[in-house]
Amino acid sequence: MGIFFAKKKPPSRVTEQDKAILQLKQTRDKIKQYQRRIEQNLEKERLMAKKLIQNKQKDRALLLLRKKKFQEQILSKTDGQLENLEHMVHDLEYAQVEVKVIDGLKVGNAALKKLHDLLSIDEIEKVMDETREGIEKQREIDEILSGELTEKDESEVEAELDALLAADIKENAPEIPENVTLPEVPENVTLPEVPEELPEKKKERTKDKAQEPVALEA
């Protein structure tokens, strides 16, 4: 029964290209290990050949140097193989990047097409016309608020201001009670007359009269 209810494994995200790249890298690493081993052997054989020559064993030294030369040729071939593997890995990785770029472009084009379907040319022109009308309306409001009014408008505004001030004074003026009577002025009492000229003006005129004779004497 457990077999029927077993959960399905999610699909692997590793593609065939990923497996190929991994295999190429493993092969590259093995070749590099092989090259290091050959380089170590070459150094050992060179030292051994030097000792054989010192021991007067020329034939064995010659045989060892031939073996060393053969390994050097193999090492040169592995350099070419290693270079080819590096190029192959690079090409595969770059191809994967190109695939991702193409997939991204497909998604972007699909989203852009949906947006274009939502907005038609007529609707865009309508929105632009409404935007222009709104800008012009706001410009008119700004001109009115900036004080650019005609003389008639200014007169009406001042008249409205005077009316508001009069209404405010009337509302804030103290009320006189109805039962309060003002005192009457007796008939035999005379009020002082208000002078027509202020004292300062009288002084100035007196001063001018005083200076007139001096001017004549001079």
Side-chain angles (χ1 to χ4, degrees):
M1 294 295 291
I3 297 175
F4 295 100
F5 294 98
K7 294 182 178 179
K8 294 183 179 180
K9 293 183 179 180
S12 177
R13 296 183 178 179
V14 180
T15 62
E16 294 297 327
Q17 290 81 8
D18 294 331
K19 293 179 182 178
I21 291 173
L22 179 61
Q23 186 175 359
L24 289 172
K25 289 183 177 180
Q26 290 175 347
T27 305
R28 178 197 61 189
D29 295 338
K30 289 180 181 179
I31 291 176
K32 287 183 178 180
Q33 292 175 0
Y34 181 69
Q35 283 182 333
R36 286 194 292 268
R37 187 165 62 250
I38 290 178
E39 290 173 352
Q40 292 174 357
N41 291 334
L42 290 174
E43 183 64 19
K44 290 179 181 179
E45 290 173 356
R46 187 184 68 81
L47 295 174
M48 191 177 295
K50 186 177 180 181
K51 289 181 180 180
L52 291 172
I53 292 174
Q54 291 175 354
N55 295 331
K56 308 299 181 182
Q57 297 178 349
K58 183 179 178 181
D59 294 337
R60 293 188 60 184
L62 182 61
L63 182 64
L64 192 61
L65 290 175
R66 286 176 180 172
K67 181 182 177 182
K68 176 176 173 293
K69 185 66 175 177
F70 177 73
Q71 289 181 344
E72 287 176 350
Q73 292 176 353
I74 294 176
L75 186 62
S76 178
K77 291 180 180 180
T78 56
D79 287 336
Q81 294 173 353
L82 189 62
E83 185 177 356
N84 292 332
L85 287 173
E86 291 287 356
H87 280 297
M88 184 65 67
V89 171
H90 177 270
D91 292 341
L92 284 173
E93 289 178 342
Y94 185 71
Q96 286 183 322
V97 172
E98 288 180 332
V99 170
K100 291 180 180 179
V101 171
I102 293 173
D103 291 339
L105 290 174
K106 288 180 179 178
V107 174
N109 289 332
L112 191 61
K113 185 177 179 181
K114 289 181 180 179
L115 290 175
H116 288 165
D117 293 337
L118 293 175
L119 294 175
S120 63
I121 300 299
D122 295 336
E123 187 174 356
I124 294 173
E125 291 179 351
K126 181 180 178 182
V127 171
M128 294 301 296
D129 291 338
E130 292 176 353
T131 303
R132 293 191 196 95
E133 292 178 0
I135 293 173
E136 291 176 359
K137 187 69 175 180
Q138 184 62 41
R139 187 180 295 113
E140 292 177 1
I141 294 172
D142 293 339
E143 290 177 356
I144 293 173
L145 295 178
S146 63
E148 295 181 0
L149 300 176
T150 61
E151 294 182 0
K152 182 180 178 182
D153 294 334
E154 291 289 350
S155 301
E156 292 177 355
V157 171
E158 291 178 1
E160 185 176 359
L161 177 62
D162 294 339
L164 291 174
L165 291 174
D168 183 68
I169 293 172
K170 185 177 180 181
E171 290 178 359
N172 296 326
E175 296 182 358
I176 300 175
E178 295 179 357
N179 55 357
V180 177
T181 56
L182 296 175
E184 296 181 356
V185 181
E187 296 180 355
N188 57 355
V189 176
T190 58
L191 297 175
E193 296 181 357
V194 180
E196 296 179 356
E197 297 182 355
L198 295 177
E200 293 180 357
K201 290 185 177 180
K202 288 183 177 181
K203 289 181 180 180
E204 291 178 358
R205 294 177 65 183
T206 306
K207 186 176 180 181
D208 293 339
K209 290 180 179 181
Q211 291 178 352
E212 286 179 357
V214 176
L216 292 173
E217 292 178 1

